[in-house]
Amino acid sequence: MPPERVVGTMIAYDLEEDAHGRPALRRTGRVLGDVNEGAAKVTNIQTQLGRPPVLAAGNSTGDTQLLEWAAAAEGPHLSLLVDHDDPDREFAYASEAQSFAAGEPITTTARRLGWTVISMKDDWASVFAEDGRRQSGGDVGAPGG
């Protein structure tokens, strides 16, 4: 995926001079605009890409508006929720937004609205490679597959 097609929280940069007096950018810890969840995620994608995603994948209530927006888009689309429900191979956690409170768990919303839900516990044959390194693709598919 080319970097210009990836949208996330925008971090501010400062323009400074290096030791030789040349312009240099320094990444800061400041966020530009709102944290990239909820409605801000939708507006960030529209601002940066100019259209809804064909595939929207999320894992928290901070992704609800994104998944709703993708599902409502014209043409082919997929709203996909990854449920972190495997306490043995990863860790299970309630997938909640960090910057606001949601009315219902994201898994309840997903099932109610007909999104595809992938369970890390039931749908991944493996979460980590046998040597403990994270796998780059994941084995998503039918249980045990």
Side-chain angles (χ1 to χ4, degrees):
M1 177 70 61
E4 63 273 11
R5 298 195 68 190
V6 176
V7 177
T9 299
M10 293 174 42
I11 304 299
Y13 287 81
D14 286 337
L15 180 62
E16 301 176 344
E17 288 185 359
D18 68 13
H20 303 287
R22 296 179 302 223
L25 287 174
R26 183 181 56 84
R27 188 173 194 252
T28 73
R30 296 187 320 270
V31 173
L32 293 175
D34 294 325
V35 173
N36 196 45
E37 65 178 10
K41 184 171 282 195
V42 172
T43 59
N44 287 346
I45 291 170
Q46 183 64 34
T47 299
Q48 294 175 45
L49 302 180
R51 62 180 180 245
V54 174
L55 165 65
N59 69 343
S60 79
T61 54
D63 297 317
T64 302
Q65 289 86 350
L66 165 68
L67 297 169
E68 288 175 327
W69 182 48
E74 303 255 339
H77 59 271
L78 175 61
S79 291
L80 177 73
L81 176 69
V82 178
D83 186 8
H84 291 263
D85 61 349
D86 192 336
D88 297 325
R89 297 182 301 165
E90 189 212 20
F91 55 93
Y93 62 87
S95 300
E96 298 173 354
Q98 298 301 307
S99 63
F100 63 89
E104 67 182 355
I106 188 68
T107 51
T108 301
T109 304
R111 288 184 176 90
R112 180 173 49 80
L113 296 177
W115 303 337
T116 300
V117 177
I118 296 178
S119 161
M120 291 187 84
K121 182 178 179 183
D122 298 330
D123 297 326
W124 252 277
S126 62
V127 175
F128 296 98
E130 289 194 26
D131 63 6
R133 292 178 299 150
R134 290 181 185 252
Q135 292 179 295
S136 60
D139 296 312
V140 179

